[in-house]
Amino acid sequence: MEKLKIMKIQQDAEKMKLVTLAFDQAHNAVMMTDADFNNGGPFIVYCNSAFCQMTGYEREALIGRSPSMLQGHDTDVAVINSLRQALKNRTFWEGSTINYRKSGEAYVVNWSISPVFDENNLLTHFLSIQQDITSRIEADRGRNALLKALDQANDPVLITDSRETIVFVNTAFEKLTGYCKEEVLGRTPRFLNSGEQDAKFYRDLWHALKNRLPFQARFVNRRKDGSRYYVEQSIAPVLNEQGNCTHFISTSWQVDDIVEREKVLYAMATEDKLTGLLTRRAGDEALTRAYHRYLEEHCPLSVIICDIDHFKAVNDTYGHLIGDRIIEQVAKVLREQTRPDDLVIRWGGEEFLVVINAPILTATNLAERLRKAVFSLKDEDVGRLTLSLGVAELLPEESVEQLLGRADGALYRAKRNGRNMAVTAAGQNTSGTMLSSTL
């Protein structure tokens, strides 16, 4: 029995040695006090190296002293009273307040204190695990100050985590979009998409962000009420110290007024003032885009050149005001007889160009409809109006200039052969076919 008792004492001593060694090497500060509330107690009976490092005191200067030695002017009295009440009630307690190091420097400490009972359930000690959370508090204050500044910014700000989940929007964002914070936090920004940006736009966006580069462009987004708005938007990845992306921050500024002005300027530059049709310059650009689409998609492309017959005589006889009225009437017919996707261009004074994605037969039939529709007009001063038209479909390996040259040649033949007719260009399947009507 005596031997077993000695072995148990040795085992307990080894356990205590192991526990002491573990506490002393712990990252967090550990302190143990007795449970004596007399004469200003409890008093410190143990503290580890982390506790000494945190407070700036040597262990010898702490043992036998009350932890109140660490308190000072800014220590929260209410927190201390709550702590002491929990100790007297022998219950677990957790809280934080300001303590002071040996140097007099203040720090914010977070405690968790547990009562320790012996095998007879008698209270013998209190074990306190402590953390210096000063840097965390300062970081939180800095973060809160930054978020407050962002919230007060005049321009909308949106922040997502690396998975695109929204974690912050400011007041300006709420005002612009009509969404409140509670409606958007936890969602992805996709609900703002208006559908006006194509897939390539978003591929370019993510290509930049995945390569840790900012992306800036004009976005057309949708408000909560469904209306659209324009913003110049900049999206940038936020990297941590290891270079990993943790967040994305988006800043934007509304450009609705700029867009409206641009639309007006664009209309002035692209719309013919008299007819509302595309100008020659805008028509050239549109025809070039149609040509490149033909090269990429191999869809048929045809043109119709239209010229008002005897227009010089109209101007000479009736004057330019009547001449302008005739041009307006013909332009109106061309718009009404073509599809929304067809291009109708005022190509010259009394000359028009129609561009359609269709083969020669469709284009020829359209040209004849245009001719008949104009022929049905009867101006109160000039009388009956007629058109001459040249039709051509783009051939393989042919340039835009060659296409227009063949259509112009067909128009010349229509004029030469009596006017008021549509002629198909040479080199087409219906080469030389002349759809004509005499007055």
Side-chain angles (χ1 to χ4, degrees):
M1 289 293 293
E2 188 68 25
K3 186 176 180 181
L4 290 175
K5 185 176 181 181
I6 293 172
M7 288 179 63
K8 185 176 185 306
I9 292 173
Q10 291 175 337
Q11 289 174 353
D12 290 343
E14 286 297 323
K15 288 180 181 177
M16 182 58 66
K17 181 179 178 182
L18 179 61
V19 169
T20 302
L21 187 63
F23 276 156
D24 205 49
Q25 295 181 28
H27 175 74
N28 289 333
V30 179
M31 178 190 72
M32 183 176 286
T33 69
D34 59 26
D36 185 3
F37 287 91
N38 297 316
N39 303 314
F43 300 100
I44 300 171
V45 297
Y46 168 81
C47 58
N48 68 352
S49 299
F51 186 87
C52 294
Q53 185 176 359
M54 180 178 71
T55 63
Y57 287 96
E58 298 292 332
R59 189 169 298 173
E60 293 76 14
L62 294 165
I63 301 300
R65 303 282 300 278
S66 167
S68 62
M69 66 181 288
L70 302 173
Q71 298 168 18
H73 179 267
D74 289 326
T75 302
D76 191 331
V77 176
V79 172
I80 299 302
N81 290 339
S82 171
L83 181 158
R84 293 188 68 83
Q85 188 60 48
L87 297 185
K88 290 179 180 179
N89 292 337
R90 304 180 179 189
T91 57
F92 173 80
W93 182 88
E94 184 173 15
S96 60
T97 189
I98 293 176
N99 269 355
Y100 290 83
R101 309 187 208 278
K102 182 181 178 181
S103 64
E105 177 189 6
Y107 66 98
V108 183
V109 63
N110 180 263
W111 302 308
S112 60
I113 302 177
S114 302
V116 179
F117 301 92
D118 65 11
E119 61 271 15
N120 297 316
N121 201 32
L122 296 175
L123 178 68
T124 62
H125 297 84
F126 293 101
L127 179 66
S128 174
I129 309 297
Q130 303 188 11
Q131 284 183 301
D132 179 354
I133 60 171
T134 307
S135 58
R136 187 197 310 169
I137 295 296
E138 291 176 348
D140 287 344
R141 285 175 180 166
R143 176 177 176 274
N144 291 337
L146 174 61
L147 292 179
K148 185 176 181 181
L150 290 175
D151 191 57
Q152 294 177 356
N154 291 328
D155 295 319
V157 178
L158 178 149
I159 301 174
T160 74
D161 62 19
S162 59
R163 297 180 180 178
E164 301 178 66
T165 302
I166 298 173
V167 297
F168 173 83
V169 294
N170 69 349
T171 301
F173 175 91
E174 294 180 297
K175 290 180 179 177
L176 176 62
T177 66
Y179 290 97
C180 64
K181 289 182 176 68
E182 292 72 21
E183 291 177 297
V184 302
L185 295 180
R187 300 174 67 181
T188 70
R190 293 190 184 93
F191 66 89
L192 296 172
N193 293 358
S194 65
E196 290 203 17
Q197 272 89 24
D198 58 17
K200 181 181 182 301
F201 179 89
Y202 290 102
R203 284 199 303 270
D204 291 344
L205 185 159
W206 282 109
H207 177 76
L209 296 182
K210 286 179 180 178
N211 285 281
R212 301 174 185 177
L213 298 172
F215 179 84
Q216 183 171 333
R218 180 171 293 177
F219 285 70
V220 187
N221 287 339
R222 190 186 300 276
R223 294 185 178 89
K224 183 178 179 180
D225 63 9
S227 63
R228 296 182 181 185
Y229 64 95
Y230 295 84
V231 287
E232 290 291 341
Q233 190 166 336
S234 178
I235 305 173
V238 179
L239 308 180
N240 61 16
E241 294 178 355
Q242 291 73 41
N244 298 320
C245 178
T246 61
H247 294 81
F248 297 102
I249 182 167
S250 165
T251 56
S252 56
W253 51 100
Q254 191 175 1
V255 292
D256 286 356
D257 291 343
I258 295 175
V259 170
E260 287 304 315
R261 287 197 297 271
E262 288 176 351
K263 286 180 178 179
V264 171
L265 292 173
Y266 180 78
M268 291 173 62
T270 60
E271 286 186 14
D272 177 62
K273 187 176 180 180
L274 178 63
T275 64
L277 303 179
L278 291 175
T279 62
R280 174 68 178 258
R281 180 176 178 179
D284 263 329
E285 293 174 355
L287 179 56
T288 299
R289 289 193 295 271
Y291 176 71
H292 286 302
R293 187 163 58 249
Y294 162 84
L295 295 178
E296 292 175 2
E297 302 176 9
H298 306 291
C299 53
L301 180 65
S302 297
V303 297
I304 306 168
I305 295 182
C306 321
D307 188 85
I308 302 174
D309 293 329
H310 304 295
F311 185 76
K312 185 177 183 303
V314 171
N315 265 344
D316 292 343
T317 304
Y318 300 100
H320 291 285
L321 289 178
I322 301 298
D324 285 349
R325 189 176 72 204
I326 297 300
I327 290 174
E328 286 184 90
Q329 291 175 355
V330 171
K332 183 173 183 291
V333 169
L334 298 182
R335 282 199 306 269
E336 291 173 347
Q337 294 295 321
T338 52
R339 301 169 300 183
D341 292 340
D342 297 335
L343 300 174
V344 184
I345 307 158
R346 187 177 179 190
W347 202 239
E350 73 275 17
E351 193 172 63
F352 304 90
L353 178 70
V354 179
V355 182
I356 63 171
N357 291 114
I360 188 64
L361 184 58
T362 302
T364 302
N365 290 334
L366 173 59
E368 180 62 8
R369 288 203 307 274
L370 296 177
R371 186 197 66 77
K372 288 180 178 179
V374 170
F375 185 69
S376 67
L377 291 175
K378 189 172 183 180
D379 184 78
E380 58 186 74
D381 294 308
V382 178
R384 188 82 59 188
L385 303 174
T386 64
L387 275 185
S388 294
L389 309 95
V391 190
E393 179 184 358
L394 184 66
L395 300 174
E397 308 300 327
E398 188 175 37
S399 68
V400 171
E401 290 75 17
Q402 290 169 325
L403 170 66
L404 292 174
R406 289 193 303 110
D408 201 52
L411 173 65
Y412 176 76
R413 292 200 302 278
K415 293 280 189 182
R416 188 182 59 191
N417 289 308
R419 296 182 173 85
N420 189 27
M421 64 179 65
V423 174
T424 303
Q428 309 291 175
N429 291 336
T430 55
S431 175
T433 299
M434 198 177 299
L435 299 174
S436 62
S437 174
T438 58
L439 292 169

